[in-house]
Amino acid sequence: MTRRACLRSLVGSGTGAFVVAGSVLPIGSVFGQEGATNAAGENAAQSQLDASPVAATQIDLTVPQTTRWRLGVNIDTPVTFTSGLATFPVFMDWPEQTVSIKDRTVDGRVGNVAVRELDGARQVVVAIPRLTSGGSIQVELEMEVVRQPIVAPTETDNLIVPARLPREMRAYMGNSPMIDSSHPSIRALSRELAGDAPESDWEKVRQIYDVVRDKVRYQEGPIRDASDALKAGVGDCEDMTSLFVALCRNAGIPARMVWIPGHCYPEFYLEPKDAKPERGELAGNWYPCQAAGTEQFGGMLEARPVLQKGDRFRVPEQRTPVRYVAEFFRCDRQGSKAPRVEFIRKPV
């Protein structure tokens, strides 16, 4: 996959005082001066970073793969700056993976470090009140991720699209950035597919999957809306995933993007026909598929960890929803030169 604007680090110059908006857990007390650790704070932050945002799954998970990753930000500056803010996404628990922190490094000149919860993503938020010319800071986490491949179900006739979507599922319907589900060409193709009347909802999704892979040939290039990928007949993993998600949503099937290092793929949601969920709970499962690459439908053999799930994130630093939660930095600098910012995400 080519390096996209939505995946790039966003480096700019801001104005005004530093403010952290949204839901955050302060972990400044967790990372003491020069890397010393407060035990009570560590337990609180570890619990927050390890908490799973979704209900237990019935998907068959086997053969776990364990990897370690370094994530963080290093900044050195030739000019004094104030009101610095750096954010970067980190791995989080999902039904198919568990995450734990194995090591961390936090420079003592950092004002505060917090974890911000978004719906489907998690960020580390680093506040730097002031850094003088020639100064540098380092914030790094070493995370261990245990990911289990997902085996596709063998019995699918009883899996259906929910008749009534829970509130939390509404984010996975309608339009998202680059996923123009309501575009006339998407709607026309969706009506055409509906006319074939598949035998089950599982087969309905399978039909969408096959059509995407039939109509769009894999080719790297500039990022496209789902409708543009359909028109061009070419696209990479992002474009093909966007088209699959757009067609599912237009057909009333909840779907979303799954982001892993260097790649993305879609998931769709179905539940058992006789399910009777408790109020506010989900009765079904999210099922992955590989829109681009080796055919995989309903299961996923993938060792790379999940970074985030979704495609319409509301990030306080961005004025409009974004499809991917990228790294971000801003500050008020005193001079014409800019701080040098390096975001880190690499396997150990």
Side-chain angles (χ1 to χ4, degrees):
M1 183 176 69
T2 56
R3 188 169 179 83
R4 300 302 190 84
C6 67
L7 299 179
R8 286 200 299 262
S9 301
L10 303 178
V11 180
S13 176
T15 59
F18 163 70
V19 176
V20 175
S23 174
V24 298
L25 172 71
I27 54 176
S29 61
V30 178
F31 305 121
Q33 300 299 312
E34 301 300 324
T37 302
N38 175 289
E42 179 180 8
N43 291 337
Q46 186 70 51
S47 175
Q48 181 77 353
L49 281 169
D50 288 349
S52 175
V54 291
T57 178
Q58 297 176 350
I59 299 175
D60 184 12
L61 305 176
T62 60
V63 193
Q65 300 290 323
T66 301
T67 56
R68 284 201 180 192
W69 292 74
R70 286 177 57 225
L71 302 97
V73 60
N74 294 325
I75 302 173
D76 61 88
T77 180
V79 295
T80 297
F81 71 76
T82 59
S83 302
L85 171 66
T87 71
F88 56 91
V90 294
F91 301 116
M92 59 192 293
D93 278 13
W94 293 99
E96 66 269 39
Q97 76 178 26
T98 56
V99 179
S100 59
I101 299 175
K102 296 303 181 181
D103 197 9
R104 66 265 178 214
T105 302
V106 177
D107 190 284
R109 284 164 289 187
V110 173
N112 186 48
V113 181
V115 174
R116 176 191 287 157
E117 297 288 348
L118 302 173
D119 187 11
R122 183 170 289 158
Q123 293 176 298
V124 169
V125 181
V126 182
I128 311 153
R130 177 182 173 86
L131 190 61
T132 58
S133 175
S136 63
I137 63 127
Q138 179 184 29
V139 176
E140 290 188 19
L141 300 177
E142 183 175 322
M143 308 187 83
E144 182 177 271
V145 184
V146 181
R147 172 158 185 174
Q148 304 183 58
I150 302 173
V151 177
T154 55
E155 299 294 332
T156 60
D157 290 344
N158 71 325
L159 296 176
I160 62 171
V161 177
R164 186 174 182 178
L165 289 177
R167 180 182 298 273
E168 59 267 35
M169 301 298 291
R170 296 174 189 172
Y172 309 119
M173 299 295 292
N175 294 325
S176 292
M178 315 305 291
I179 300 176
D180 48 350
S181 304
S182 60
H183 190 276
S185 64
I186 301 293
R187 296 171 66 180
L189 180 54
S190 185
R191 287 194 299 269
E192 179 184 331
L193 294 175
D196 291 342
E199 294 182 358
S200 67
D201 285 350
W202 183 270
E203 288 302 318
K204 180 189 296 185
V205 183
R206 176 72 203 213
Q207 182 186 52
I208 293 172
Y209 177 78
D210 290 339
V211 163
V212 169
R213 292 171 64 89
D214 180 60
K215 289 186 175 291
V216 180
R217 175 174 54 86
Y218 182 86
Q219 178 179 298
E220 293 187 352
I223 190 170
R224 300 176 175 87
D225 288 338
S227 60
D228 289 336
L230 177 61
K231 180 180 179 180
V234 295
D236 69 1
C237 61
E238 280 195 56
D239 305 321
M240 297 174 74
T241 296
S242 293
L243 180 56
F244 175 87
V245 170
L247 287 168
C248 281
R249 291 178 180 177
N250 197 271
I253 303 163
R256 65 187 179 188
M257 299 184 75
V258 179
W259 302 89
I260 64 177
H263 187 54
C264 66
Y265 57 85
E267 285 183 331
F268 58 94
Y269 180 84
L270 297 176
E271 64 183 26
K273 187 180 302 183
D274 56 353
K276 296 180 179 179
E278 297 292 332
R279 184 177 181 85
E281 293 186 359
L282 301 180
N285 290 305
W286 287 96
Y287 296 94
C289 56
Q290 195 71 270
T294 303
E295 180 177 315
Q296 297 190 70
F297 183 79
M300 184 60 58
L301 301 178
E302 175 61 69
R304 286 172 290 182
V306 173
L307 186 61
Q308 49 197 266
K309 295 189 179 187
D311 42 73
R312 190 163 59 227
F313 298 100
R314 295 191 177 276
V315 182
E317 291 75 38
Q318 305 296 329
R319 294 182 178 180
T320 58
V322 296
R323 69 194 260 111
Y324 174 84
V325 181
E327 295 86 355
F328 177 89
F329 174 76
R330 74 177 180 212
C331 69
D332 292 336
R333 63 178 185 259
Q334 300 173 7
S336 59
K337 295 183 179 180
R340 291 180 288 271
V341 182
E342 177 193 16
F343 287 102
I344 300 166
R345 187 196 307 139
K346 59 184 179 181
V348 176

